[in-house]
PDB file of all heavy atoms in Angstrom:
ATOM      1  N   GLY K  73     117.982 118.127 116.004  1.00 96.00           N
ATOM      2  CA  GLY K  73     119.336 118.399 116.472  1.00 96.00           C
ATOM      3  C   GLY K  73     120.116 117.120 116.714  1.00 96.00           C
ATOM      4  O   GLY K  73     121.297 117.013 116.354  1.00 96.00           O
ATOM      5  N   VAL K 149      86.590 137.259 117.623  1.00 94.00           N
ATOM      6  CA  VAL K 149      86.587 138.436 118.500  1.00 94.00           C
ATOM      7  C   VAL K 149      87.693 139.411 118.107  1.00 94.00           C
ATOM      8  O   VAL K 149      87.479 140.631 118.093  1.00 94.00           O
ATOM      9  CB  VAL K 149      86.722 138.012 119.973  1.00 94.00           C
ATOM     10  CG1 VAL K 149      86.880 139.233 120.876  1.00 94.00           C
ATOM     11  CG2 VAL K 149      85.509 137.199 120.395  1.00 94.00           C
ATOM     12  N   PRO K 295     114.043 110.668 132.834  1.00 92.00           N
ATOM     13  CA  PRO K 295     113.707 109.329 133.323  1.00 92.00           C
ATOM     14  C   PRO K 295     112.916 108.518 132.298  1.00 92.00           C
ATOM     15  O   PRO K 295     111.910 108.991 131.753  1.00 92.00           O
ATOM     16  CB  PRO K 295     112.867 109.633 134.574  1.00 92.00           C
ATOM     17  CG  PRO K 295     113.396 110.940 135.057  1.00 92.00           C
ATOM     18  CD  PRO K 295     113.716 111.723 133.818  1.00 92.00           C
ATOM     19  N   ALA K 408     126.866 109.703 117.503  1.00 41.00           N
ATOM     20  CA  ALA K 408     126.867 110.818 116.561  1.00 41.00           C
ATOM     21  C   ALA K 408     126.261 110.392 115.253  1.00 41.00           C
ATOM     22  O   ALA K 408     126.392 109.264 114.823  1.00 41.00           O
ATOM     23  CB  ALA K 408     128.319 111.292 116.341  1.00 41.00           C
TER      24      ALA K 408
END
Side-chain angles (χ1 to χ4, degrees):
V149 173

